[in-house]
Amino acid sequence: MSRFVQLHILTSYPPSNLNRDDTGRPKTAVIGDCTRLRISSQSLKRAWRTSDIFESVLKGHIGTRTKEKGVSVYQSLIKQGVSEKNAREWAKLIAGRFGKLKSDKKTENNEDLHVEQLVHFSPEEEKAIDDLVTRLVETATEPTEDDLKLLRKQHTAADIAMFGRMLASSPAFNTEAAIQVAHAITVHKAAVEDDYFIAVDDLNSGEEDKGAAHIGELGFGAGVFYLYICIDRELLQKNLGDDAELTQKALTAFMQAVAKVSPTGKQNSFASRAYAGFVLAEKGDQQPRSLAQAFLKPVKPNPEKGEDTMTRAIKELTKRRDNFNAVYGDCADTAVYFNVETGEGSLSDIAKFIAE
């Protein structure tokens, strides 16, 4: 099995605000001395992990990321007749195994049952917690030290195996991410623009007052984005307990999501859903490398040659790949691609390529 799979993806987004900064405007980055629009890797991974594709293909192999597992344990105990005092104390003992409790004083909104950091629970850990809750209800006794051994190093959570997990209080149960995701950036100069909008009150029919009931501004941008992804297939299979079948299923779901699923930011305002227009997949044991250098110089299409931004970006990407191969030798053993502009290749071919 070739160890590394590298994905180079070009996607054209219409006006959108998929991933906002602290001011509510699209995120940006300065690259090649000009501003580009940016979509963070965190935003992309969240969209893929919570997609319908993952849910349907990897059902039963998806984790849950939360600070509030202690709250759900407490509520379950209460519903099954455990006293408030015992339910709270036992829930704290269980939640505390996964992270430092946020507070031991504030019971309002059950804040004392929250852990300080988000914890990604595997299905195996969730089942162990559920089994323990059932046992506590039946025995009406405080959980023992052995009962509280709930963390699992080995699991079948595909999203944890892909994107990793860090437990500050229990580093022995960390999972190293098998998939590295870059921030997506536009291949050309891009500006954040402002959409000035108003809302009218439907019940305001008076001639004397026809003004807007609401006025606002919303930042947006548009462009062709380059995204680089590196998959360590050996590590992914190791993270999944050397289950080759589950590994292939996870890679298939991942490829489908990457090509089809966009972050959900302001989708109702822009309907900016987009499929990838070009995907190049490479496979081999060679040291991985991004092709982002292809876009240090902002892409400028040549309309006189019938060239648009996507077409020019594909040319620059493949040219950079060929130049790397010429200088360093082949940077991958095999490669496949699809190109929506020319109708070449298919998503199913690439999904099969990375999974085999």
Side-chain angles (χ1 to χ4, degrees):
M1 177 175 73
S2 297
R3 179 178 178 184
F4 296 111
V5 170
Q6 298 179 85
L7 299 174
H8 309 276
I9 302 162
L10 295 170
T11 305
S12 176
Y13 285 103
S16 57
N17 189 349
L18 298 170
N19 186 205
R20 288 165 279 174
D21 64 16
D22 58 341
T23 68
R25 296 167 67 79
K27 289 184 176 180
T28 60
V30 176
I31 300 172
D33 293 328
C34 68
T35 300
R36 317 292 182 97
L37 295 176
R38 174 173 64 92
I39 305 173
S40 72
S41 59
Q42 298 92 325
S43 175
L44 291 164
K45 288 185 284 188
R46 167 71 179 175
W48 301 332
R49 185 175 65 81
T50 59
S51 67
D52 290 341
I53 293 172
F54 265 44
E55 178 61 31
S56 61
V57 179
L58 296 171
K59 190 174 182 62
H61 300 290
I62 300 295
T64 301
R65 193 170 63 173
T66 180
K67 292 182 177 181
E68 300 182 16
K69 178 59 73 173
V71 177
S72 64
V73 169
Y74 167 76
Q75 292 172 342
S76 178
L77 289 168
I78 289 291
K79 286 180 181 179
Q80 297 181 72
V82 176
S83 69
E84 198 281 337
K85 179 181 178 182
N86 284 343
R88 187 169 295 277
E89 289 304 315
W90 297 351
K92 285 182 180 181
L93 289 173
I94 292 171
R97 287 296 162 137
F98 293 89
K100 183 180 178 182
L101 292 175
K102 187 175 181 180
S103 169
D104 60 358
K105 296 180 180 179
K106 297 179 181 179
T107 59
E108 185 178 357
N109 298 321
N110 292 320
E111 288 187 29
D112 57 328
L113 301 178
H114 295 191
V115 294
E116 289 186 341
Q117 295 181 324
L118 280 169
V119 178
H120 209 151
F121 294 83
S122 69
E124 289 77 10
E125 290 164 341
E126 292 193 279
K127 184 179 185 304
I129 292 171
D130 290 342
D131 290 345
L132 177 56
V133 167
T134 299
R135 191 158 59 250
L136 294 178
V137 171
E138 292 174 350
T139 63
T141 58
E142 182 176 306
T144 66
E145 190 65 25
D146 284 340
D147 289 335
L148 293 171
K149 292 179 179 179
L150 300 166
L151 282 158
R152 300 288 185 266
K153 179 66 176 177
Q154 198 59 65
H155 54 76
T156 62
D159 49 349
I160 295 177
M162 290 177 183
F163 307 130
R165 175 174 79 168
M166 194 277 284
L167 295 170
S169 61
S170 303
F173 296 93
N174 289 349
T175 299
E176 183 180 354
I179 297 181
Q180 300 168 346
V181 182
H183 290 224
I185 56 168
T186 52
V187 302
H188 50 77
K189 294 180 181 180
V192 176
E193 302 181 66
D194 289 304
D195 176 30
Y196 171 84
F197 64 91
I198 65 172
V200 178
D201 189 327
D202 292 341
L203 298 182
N204 182 1
S205 59
E207 290 295 326
E208 71 283 356
D209 185 6
K210 290 189 176 181
H214 174 76
I215 297 175
E217 287 186 356
L218 178 63
F220 70 92
V224 175
F225 287 76
Y226 168 70
L227 171 63
Y228 171 70
I229 298 170
C230 179
I231 304 170
D232 186 334
R233 296 199 305 167
E234 289 183 1
L235 180 56
L236 180 61
Q237 185 161 316
K238 178 184 176 183
N239 286 349
L240 292 172
D242 287 323
D243 188 331
E245 182 179 353
L246 179 56
T247 301
Q248 290 186 343
K249 187 182 293 187
L251 287 170
T252 299
F254 179 72
M255 189 64 243
Q256 293 280 340
V258 165
K260 294 180 177 180
V261 177
S262 305
T264 57
K266 292 295 181 180
Q267 282 291 4
N268 290 342
S269 298
F270 292 103
S272 51
R273 300 179 184 276
Y275 280 14
F278 178 85
V279 175
L280 169 65
E282 301 176 300
K283 191 161 60 176
D285 294 321
Q286 296 91 329
Q287 175 67 29
R289 50 81 184 101
S290 167
L291 296 177
Q293 288 182 17
F295 308 114
L296 281 176
K297 185 178 180 181
V299 163
K300 292 182 179 180
N302 188 341
E304 294 180 0
K305 295 182 179 180
E307 188 179 70
D308 59 21
T309 303
M310 176 66 79
T311 303
R312 182 59 185 274
I314 293 170
K315 288 182 180 179
E316 294 298 329
L317 185 70
T318 53
K319 178 182 176 182
R320 182 65 53 161
R321 187 269 311 267
D322 293 342
N323 288 349
F324 266 126
N325 288 345
V327 172
Y328 289 98
D330 289 344
C331 297
D333 296 329
T334 53
V336 297
Y337 70 92
F338 75 64
N339 185 345
V340 175
E341 300 296 302
T342 60
E344 297 176 273
S346 71
L347 175 58
S348 61
D349 286 343
I350 291 186
K352 183 178 179 181
F353 174 79
I354 73 169
E356 289 182 341

